[in-house]
Amino acid sequence: MSENLLEATGVEKHFPITKGLFKRQIGAVRAVDGIDLSIRTGETLGLVGESGSGKSTAGRLFTRILEPTAGTITFEGEDISHKSVTQMRPLRRDVQMIFQDPYSSLNPRHTVGAIISAPLQIQNIPTPNGVKKAVQDLLALVGLNPEHYNRYPHEFSGGQRQRIGIARALALRPKLIIADEPVSALDVSIQAQVVNLMEDLQREFNLTYLFIAHDLSVVRHISDRVAVMYLGKIVEVADRDDLYKNPRHPYTVALMSAVPVPDPVRRDRAQRERVLLTGDVPSPINPPSGCRFRTRCWKAQEICATEEPPLITRLDDPESHLTACHFPVVNDETVAGRRPAATPA
């Protein structure tokens, strides 16, 4: 049996653009445009990129909230790409999602008890000691007071609401949890608590995470591997330490250079080496030919406009480090040699 819990091959999601009374399609938003990605059993895979890169859409495809336009998604070797809602119901026990906004992901008309118990009742999960006791145990598990069973979401803080969302996702004891920016809406002081809780739960229940985020510091803390996404494409995948030490794709280098550095000495050096990308992210309706990053890349050459770079091992990197770039960044490449397209801060 494969060590991969979930595998995506050539997955696409295009949202049609229609016009006129008869809804004639005149184009499509290519939110996810042919990605290959695997999530290993028991690991945390971080998925990072700018807003609009397609991260959240990819997460919804993997949970089958959305149906892919093309490509194949397999879970434990079973093709789930085009299963119906009824066919997916048994698999919902194994794949759950934590949403970004704890304010909108919880129904304000339902009590916490009703929200967390809903998955148990929908899936007809037996609760020997009763539903209320099962929910209270879940509340205690995520660090909330079990006596708050009858309270409503508006009576909790943002961090507490996200813990309720985690408890709901955990109710069915899933194998895979897709966490879509679970801490980005929270105060910095609360983010660490929620991330540490997720790590504790992963160890206790042998969970597998896809952790979607744009905060590279959080991703570095929690992830085993990291995939970088740009304009619907995966541009780099590597083990966490390898990626942060030796980023190969120019886009990854630019993302890394934007991470705040608390040490004043290191911060001065980082500011001198800051890579500022020129231009805006191209439209996913009409992405650039060849490499999609070429319009903002300081290393772009003619081949980048005509030939899309495959996601493969480059230079002397290990097999686990994949990069989609014709001219990957070399470790000792100086900042001065990286531009003209980008300028120092």
Side-chain angles (χ1 to χ4, degrees):
M1 183 177 174
S2 172
E3 67 172 355
N4 294 328
L5 184 64
L6 184 141
E7 294 185 20
T9 306
V11 173
E12 299 179 0
K13 182 59 182 178
H14 296 174
F15 295 98
I17 301 172
T18 58
K19 181 181 181 180
L21 181 63
F22 297 102
K23 302 295 183 182
R24 180 172 56 89
Q25 183 172 341
I26 60 172
V29 177
R30 300 160 71 171
V32 174
D33 203 20
I35 63 172
D36 298 330
L37 198 63
S38 61
I39 305 175
R40 301 167 186 163
T41 302
E43 78 165 348
T44 299
L45 174 66
L47 183 59
V48 302
E50 291 175 286
S51 296
S53 61
K55 308 184 302 297
S56 295
T57 302
R60 283 164 169 75
L61 288 170
F62 297 157
T63 56
R64 274 304 320 280
I65 293 175
L66 296 175
E67 182 172 354
T69 305
T72 304
I73 302 171
T74 60
F75 181 79
E76 292 188 316
E78 180 181 1
D79 188 347
I80 64 171
S81 309
H82 301 289
K83 284 184 177 291
S84 66
V85 174
T86 303
Q87 292 172 325
M88 278 299 299
R89 180 163 292 179
L91 287 166
R92 296 293 180 203
R93 295 183 59 172
D94 294 328
V95 184
Q96 287 290 305
M97 192 162 188
I98 300 171
F99 296 94
Q100 175 179 356
D101 187 359
Y103 296 90
S104 62
S105 63
L106 304 178
N107 191 326
R109 295 185 177 88
H110 292 176
T111 64
V112 169
I115 290 170
I116 299 177
S117 65
L120 298 172
Q121 295 169 342
I122 292 171
Q123 293 284 347
N124 295 318
I125 303 299
T127 50
N129 299 317
V131 173
K132 182 175 181 178
K133 181 65 167 62
V135 172
Q136 289 181 325
D137 289 344
L138 285 166
L139 288 172
L141 192 63
V142 297
L144 295 175
N145 189 338
E147 301 305 318
H148 293 167
Y149 174 88
N150 287 318
R151 289 193 176 185
Y152 287 85
H154 73 268
E155 299 179 71
F156 295 89
S157 67
Q160 289 174 324
R161 293 186 203 189
Q162 196 59 289
R163 288 172 186 263
I164 294 168
I166 293 172
R168 176 176 59 184
L170 205 63
L172 300 176
R173 297 294 188 267
K175 297 176 181 177
L176 172 65
I177 291 181
I178 310 291
D180 183 11
E181 304 212 31
V183 297
S184 63
L186 306 179
D187 292 340
V188 175
S189 58
I190 305 300
Q191 289 183 4
Q193 297 177 18
V194 174
V195 169
N196 290 336
L197 170 65
M198 293 181 65
E199 289 184 317
D200 292 341
L201 293 172
Q202 182 177 36
R203 285 190 292 268
E204 184 171 351
F205 297 106
N206 192 30
L207 299 171
T208 302
Y209 289 142
L210 174 65
F211 193 93
I212 300 170
H214 62 266
D215 189 330
L216 291 170
S217 300
V218 175
V219 170
R220 185 171 192 172
H221 177 76
I222 196 172
S223 300
D224 300 304
R225 288 191 303 138
V226 180
V228 182
M229 198 165 182
Y230 180 80
L231 205 61
K233 293 280 189 180
I234 301 292
V235 297
E236 189 164 7
V237 183
D239 293 336
R240 174 192 61 192
D241 294 337
D242 190 22
L243 185 83
Y244 280 80
K245 184 180 179 182
N246 300 315
R248 294 303 194 198
H249 199 282
Y251 177 61
T252 309
V253 173
L255 286 181
M256 298 292 183
S257 76
V259 176
V261 180
D263 184 340
V265 176
R266 291 174 56 215
R267 181 168 63 239
D268 290 342
R269 181 174 180 272
Q271 286 178 342
R272 287 196 299 271
E273 296 189 355
R274 175 75 184 273
V275 178
L276 294 181
L277 299 177
T278 59
D280 296 325
V281 180
S283 170
I285 299 173
N286 185 26
S289 61
C291 175
R292 300 197 167 182
F293 186 61
R294 66 177 175 81
T295 57
R296 306 172 72 196
C297 182
W298 63 87
K299 302 193 70 171
Q301 298 184 28
E302 288 185 10
I303 189 175
C304 301
T306 58
E307 186 176 324
E308 182 178 336
L311 186 66
I312 58 175
T313 301
R314 309 276 178 170
L315 304 174
D316 58 349
D317 290 329
E319 290 184 4
S320 59
H321 195 149
L322 307 176
T323 309
C325 180
H326 293 298
F327 306 101
V329 176
V330 182
N331 294 346
D332 58 356
E333 189 173 351
T334 62
V335 176
R338 291 179 185 170
R339 326 202 148 78
T343 53

